[in-house]
Amino acid sequence: MATSEEILSRVSEFDSERSDRRKAAAHQVGDLARRHADLVAESEAVQRELAEILAGCDDVISLTELAQFTDVPEGQLAHWRDGAKPGRGRKRRTGPRTPATKERVQRNTPSRHTPHEPVLQELPVAQGFVDEQVPAGVS
């Protein structure tokens, strides 16, 4: 069995290795996070500049011509150019919602507008069905 001093020594040794690895990991993550933030900022600046140039030169050269000359796909050029424009908001419905199809299942529940009146619905009659009285005892 290990003595108290040996136990403390082992724990300290284990903790120092772990501590060194933790310090190294934190240092690397911090450096890479700063580098990433710098690259994102640089990329955004380049995209803004591209957007401004593409928006400003549309009167002298089309995106199709630019795509031919630069080998950059026209869709990518349009994406960069449109990046300078503010995004459109989500479309809002102005009228009442309408069902996707006119054929909807009818419910046996009251309407929202007439909460106290029962809803009556006409049921289709099968062809060849004769309305006869049902004999007593048969349901």
Side-chain angles (χ1 to χ4, degrees), residues 71-122:
D71 291 333
V72 176
E74 187 174 347
Q76 183 63 52
L77 293 170
H79 176 74
W80 286 331
R81 179 198 61 204
D82 297 340
K85 297 178 183 176
R88 296 182 196 171
R90 190 173 162 216
K91 273 191 171 179
R92 299 190 190 275
R93 294 178 188 240
T94 56
R97 289 186 173 202
T98 57
T101 62
K102 291 185 179 186
E103 297 176 23
R104 287 287 182 175
V105 177
Q106 293 181 349
R107 298 183 200 168
N108 273 334
T109 57
S111 161
R112 279 186 260 165
H113 303 291
T114 56
H116 301 292
E117 296 177 24
V119 174
L120 301 176
Q121 64 182 8
E122 227 174 278

Side-chain angles (χ1 to χ4, degrees), residues 17-35:
E17 286 179 21
R18 185 169 184 253
S19 181
D20 290 344
R21 289 181 55 211
R22 288 167 44 107
K23 289 176 189 175
H27 180 71
Q28 288 174 334
V29 168
D31 285 348
L32 289 173
R34 278 187 290 282
R35 185 172 162 207

Side-chain angles (χ1 to χ4, degrees), residues 35-75:
R35 185 172 162 207
H36 179 267
D38 292 344
L39 290 171
V40 167
E42 184 179 348
S43 176
E44 289 172 349
V46 168
Q47 285 183 1
R48 277 191 301 276
E49 191 174 350
L50 274 167
E52 291 171 7
I53 291 170
L54 289 168
C57 72
D58 64 347
D59 60 332
V60 293
I61 190 167
S62 70
L63 291 183
T64 304
E65 292 174 311
L66 278 170
Q68 289 172 349
F69 295 144
T70 62
D71 291 333
V72 176
E74 187 174 347

